[in-house]
Amino acid sequence: MGAHPSPRSPGAGGTPTGVPTAGDPGSGPAGGQSQDGLQAGLKNRHLSMIAIGGVIGAGLFVGSGAGISAAGPGILLSYALTGLLVVLVMRMLGEMAAASPASGSFSAYADRALGRWAGFTIGWLYWFFWSVVLAVEATAAGAILTGWVPAVPQWAWALLVMIVLTGTNLVSVGSFGEFEFWFAGIKVVAIVVFIVVGALAIFGLPPGDHAAGMSNLTGHGGFLPHGPGAILSGMLLVVFSFMGSEIVTLAAGESPNPVQAVRKAVNSVIWRIALFYIGSIAVIVTLLPWNDRAVAKSPYVAVLQSLDIPYAGTVMDVVVLTAVLSCLNSGLYTASRMAFSLGQRGDAPKSFATVNKGGVPAVAIWASVAFGFIATIFSYTSKDTIFQFLLNSSGAVALFVWLVICFSQLRMRRTLERETPERLTVRMWLYPWLTYATIGLIVFVIGYMFYDPDGREQMVLSVVAAVVVLAVGLILDRRRPRERAADESAAKVAGRA
């Protein structure tokens, strides 16, 4: 399974050693179109908001209650440790993406640094993950909208939002960027307002009627009511809510200045995680007892209702719906670009690598939507069997992606330093020691998932899915040299004729 050069279509980027050439998209696309044919239609404000809003998923609003119940106020340490892990991984990914922006991001880098089998495996697993996410988010959006308009069945709402967002992605990358700009903007404003209002209430200023102080952090069983081990259990519950931070590195290739966009996104990831995740969760566990039933059900709504904010439930429904639509929109974009990159590298049907007149990979979009539609149907017809299997078998993909990014950065950094050091405009801190430490932490989390009863099934099924995809990749990789040899032999015969 050693690394070896893989054939690439023109403009796919990278020499056999994995070092970008002077014509790589790293210098920015010319004429409004990147070398791989995708339209460079994302503006700086689009990328800025995608980077900021990319870390705010629907899981933060609706899934954080489970984490708080599992770890109490200690969930802050779970978010901090997971956030640190994301910051380090993003720094590594940013180093590679700034040196060579690519539509396939970490999958393309794994292909170059580790071997074609690695790029194939992680690319298809990532596509699978986001295609399943489409079904999850469409179902969630349908549930919220049905609550508002009960006359329309949930499946009809889910179908409608899928159709609308598929249309925006098919029109142009600019329309995707515009929708995501406003979706992310609403999420950012909502979180900032929540933190400001919560901070005022903590210190006894309006809208609170008395200072909450720190009593809820230390009372009700203490800061770690379930012991230090709950920090790791909390990490398992929150780690997947950070998936999406890497989207900006895929989107950067469709912007006028991809290197600048990547550098800006990587440099801002620390404050984004600290503010949006740790800041908002700190407000929740400070204002309310961690074991409050309302916190477990919907922590953000519980805080707003405790402060007598009118229409708190409706306000949060709007925010959550926005987060869901944002995740659905960006998930469709991400899945299609990964499929496009796989098609470019010969690891998916060639049609996936084609673009329409608007510079959009329409076939890759339709393929991703089709799988999303099938998964959505299963979410209604076989929720506890097939759909649950899809969820569990894609659940640990985030950890696999982060691990592959680490190993790819180890290999690519050496090559870049040796051949094109001027492209290292973003550098991983304390290389290679901090990279090794990050690998160790990820492996530890994976091992703990096998140990933890709640995470074991998800990890086992995810590993099985990874092994199956890897086996397919290795089989195809072994067939390719024979196919190339046969093509060359046929060409020679045709030449003599």
Side-chain angles (χ1 to χ4, degrees), residues 221-313:
F223 187 74
L224 294 171
H226 300 307
I231 298 174
L232 293 174
S233 298
M235 285 185 69
L236 300 186
L237 293 170
V238 306
V239 67
F240 307 110
S241 64
F242 284 91
M243 196 71 162
S245 304
E246 72 291 336
I247 291 176
V248 69
T249 63
L250 283 86
E254 294 179 75
S255 69
N257 194 332
V259 175
Q260 181 183 1
V262 168
R263 189 185 302 121
K264 184 177 180 181
V266 170
N267 290 336
S268 65
V269 70
I270 296 176
W271 71 259
R272 286 185 278 130
I273 289 175
L275 176 66
F276 299 133
Y277 276 89
I278 300 177
S280 64
I281 297 299
V283 166
I284 294 170
V285 295
T286 303
L287 280 177
L288 296 176
W290 66 269
N291 53 359
D292 190 314
R293 289 185 178 180
V295 171
K297 182 179 180 182
S298 183
Y300 290 82
V301 173
V303 168
L304 296 179
Q305 288 178 339
S306 72
L307 299 176
D308 296 324
I309 303 295
Y311 306 107

Side-chain angles (χ1 to χ4, degrees), residues 14-388:
T15 64
T17 59
V19 179
T21 63
D24 233 43
S27 57
Q33 194 173 54
S34 59
Q35 280 200 340
D36 54 18
L38 296 174
Q39 188 68 32
L42 291 177
K43 300 176 182 178
N44 289 333
R45 65 182 178 89
H46 293 153
L47 283 173
S48 296
M49 197 57 74
I50 289 171
I52 295 172
V55 296
I56 308 174
L60 174 62
F61 297 108
V62 297
S64 52
I68 294 172
S69 297
I75 194 67
L76 289 171
L77 296 179
S78 302
Y79 273 103
L81 284 173
T82 309
L84 174 62
L85 188 60
V86 173
V87 167
L88 295 174
V89 171
M90 279 296 294
R91 188 74 186 183
M92 287 181 254
L93 180 57
E95 177 182 289
M96 296 183 288
S100 177
S103 59
S105 188
F106 50 85
S107 174
Y109 307 141
D111 188 314
R112 301 172 192 175
L114 305 177
R116 192 162 187 173
W117 61 270
F120 177 95
T121 303
I122 205 64
W124 276 112
L125 285 175
Y126 192 69
W127 177 87
F128 174 54
F129 171 85
W130 281 109
S131 296
V132 173
V133 166
L134 296 182
V136 174
E137 304 301 340
T139 304
I144 295 173
L145 291 169
T146 299
W148 294 347
V149 187
V152 180
Q154 185 177 339
W155 66 265
W157 282 120
L159 177 64
L160 180 62
V161 296
M162 286 277 278
I163 291 174
V164 170
L165 293 178
T166 299
T168 63
N169 274 265
L170 285 171
V171 170
S172 70
V173 69
S175 62
F176 153 76
E178 199 64 31
F179 268 75
E180 196 56 29
F181 175 83
W182 291 107
F183 285 153
I186 293 172
K187 292 189 295 183
V188 169
V189 170
I191 286 288
V192 170
V193 170
F194 178 84
I195 293 173
V196 170
V197 170
L200 291 174
I202 289 172
F203 294 104
L205 300 173
D209 55 1
H210 64 277
M214 302 293 114
S215 61
N216 285 323
L217 294 178
T218 56
H220 313 286
F223 187 74
L224 294 171
H226 300 307
I231 298 174
L232 293 174
S233 298
M235 285 185 69
L236 300 186
L237 293 170
V238 306
V239 67
F240 307 110
S241 64
F242 284 91
M243 196 71 162
S245 304
E246 72 291 336
I247 291 176
V248 69
T249 63
L250 283 86
E254 294 179 75
S255 69
N257 194 332
V259 175
Q260 181 183 1
V262 168
R263 189 185 302 121
K264 184 177 180 181
V266 170
N267 290 336
S268 65
V269 70
I270 296 176
W271 71 259
R272 286 185 278 130
I273 289 175
L275 176 66
F276 299 133
Y277 276 89
I278 300 177
S280 64
I281 297 299
V283 166
I284 294 170
V285 295
T286 303
L287 280 177
L288 296 176
W290 66 269
N291 53 359
D292 190 314
R293 289 185 178 180
V295 171
K297 182 179 180 182
S298 183
Y300 290 82
V301 173
V303 168
L304 296 179
Q305 288 178 339
S306 72
L307 299 176
D308 296 324
I309 303 295
Y311 306 107
T314 302
V315 169
M316 284 312 303
D317 273 348
V318 172
V319 174
V320 171
L321 177 62
T322 302
V324 165
L325 295 177
S326 172
C327 191
L328 180 56
N329 190 42
S330 58
L332 179 53
Y333 171 85
T334 306
S336 65
R337 273 17 177 218
M338 185 56 72
F340 172 81
S341 178
L342 289 166
Q344 271 198 319
R345 289 176 273 145
D347 291 332
K350 292 181 180 179
S351 58
F352 282 19
T354 60
V355 296
N356 61 19
K357 294 181 180 179
V360 172
V363 176
I365 290 175
W366 280 118
S368 303
V369 170
F371 189 91
F373 269 125
I374 294 172
T376 303
I377 293 172
F378 285 140
S379 72
Y380 291 106
T381 62
S382 310
K383 184 177 182 179
D384 297 326
T385 52
I386 298 177
F387 188 65
Q388 191 63 39

Side-chain angles (χ1 to χ4, degrees), residues 483-497:
E483 292 172 355
R484 286 196 295 270
D487 291 341
E488 291 172 2
S489 177
K492 290 179 181 178
V493 172
R496 287 195 296 268

